[in-house]
Every structure is written in structure tokens, then in C-alpha cells.
Amino acid sequence: QVQLAESGGGLVQPGGSLRLSCAASGSTSDYYAIAWFRQAPGKEREGISCISLTDGTTHYRDSVKGRFTISRDNAKNTVYLQMNSLNTEDTAVYYCATDSSPFPCIVVVSQHVDRRAFGSWGQGTQVTVSS
């Protein structure tokens, strides 16, 4: 399984923006999609966005739709998450994940998924939205 590493988290004021990066250690040419998850204190990890590495199709959880944008740079083996209009409810540790087997992005962003379904996880990056 490819190794993933997130970066770009930090402290931002409400209404601010951050861009997270998810860099893969090797080629992602054999992978189908990469998803972003987040986990707030005391809450379950939830999938918030997902992008197909083949055709670039994107999916978003309703809570971030219109504020977050996922994109990919296949040449750099990197997926980005641009987060705008951040609010305190976005405070969480953000993770990217993938698996060598296909997984349905639409399910990732609409339902709870077992983290064991993903063979590769990054270490997470903390995003704190606070004034």
C-alpha cells in the first residue's frame, strides 16, 4: 500500500482558509480514489471529500459542500483540500486515506465507513478554527 502524509493544518480564525495536502510516497497510478476524513474530539471519523484519480470526479459531505474543494495533481502524487469559510465546527484532525481496491466515494461522504476498509492512512494534521 502507498504511504500518505498530510500537511497544511494549523490555527485559523473563523471565516479563514487553509489548504491541506496529501502526498503519496509512490505512484498512485494503480489507485482509484483518495478521500479526506476528519475526526473532531469525541466524534466519529467522517469522510468529507473524495476524488477519483482516474477522471477527477469529486464528492463532498453536505456539511462542507460549497466551502471545501478537493483537487489532484497526478504528476506530484498529491491531493489537496482547499478549505474556505472555516468555522469552529471544522476543528478536527484531518486525514487522507486510500486503498488499492476500488471504494465508492459517494458512500465515503454520505455514510459511516469502517476505517479498516482503507489500507493507507496518513498521520493526520490538526486544523483548529478559533478566534
Side-chain angles (χ1 to χ4, degrees), residues 2-124:
V2 70
Q3 292 185 335
L4 304 176
E6 306 92 340
S7 61
L11 173 64
V12 62
Q13 292 186 340
S17 299
L18 281 175
R19 189 177 80 154
L20 305 183
S21 298
C22 172
S25 62
S27 173
T28 56
S29 61
D30 294 333
Y31 289 75
Y32 298 89
I34 287 181
W36 281 99
F37 291 76
R38 68 184 181 186
Q39 187 166 17
K43 294 188 177 180
E44 288 188 332
R45 190 171 298 190
E46 64 176 4
I48 58 171
S49 188
C50 189
I51 187 167
S52 166
L53 299 180
T54 54
D55 64 9
T57 303
T58 59
H59 296 81
Y60 301 93
R61 186 169 288 268
D62 286 346
S63 57
V64 306
K65 199 173 294 183
R67 300 187 298 122
F68 291 10
T69 303
I70 191 171
S71 61
R72 78 197 198 279
D73 185 334
N74 286 348
K76 295 182 178 180
N77 293 321
T78 300
V79 169
Y80 304 97
L81 187 68
Q82 177 67 42
M83 307 187 297
N84 299 329
S85 301
L86 287 162
N87 58 61
T88 57
E89 294 183 347
D90 296 315
T91 294
V93 179
Y94 285 70
Y95 303 86
C96 57
T98 191
D99 195 79
S100 56
S101 298
F103 57 88
C105 276
I106 189 65
V107 173
V108 170
V109 301
S110 61
Q111 300 178 28
H112 172 70
V113 294
D114 190 332
R115 67 179 67 182
R116 293 172 296 181
F118 297 87
S120 297
W121 286 89
Q123 80 287 353

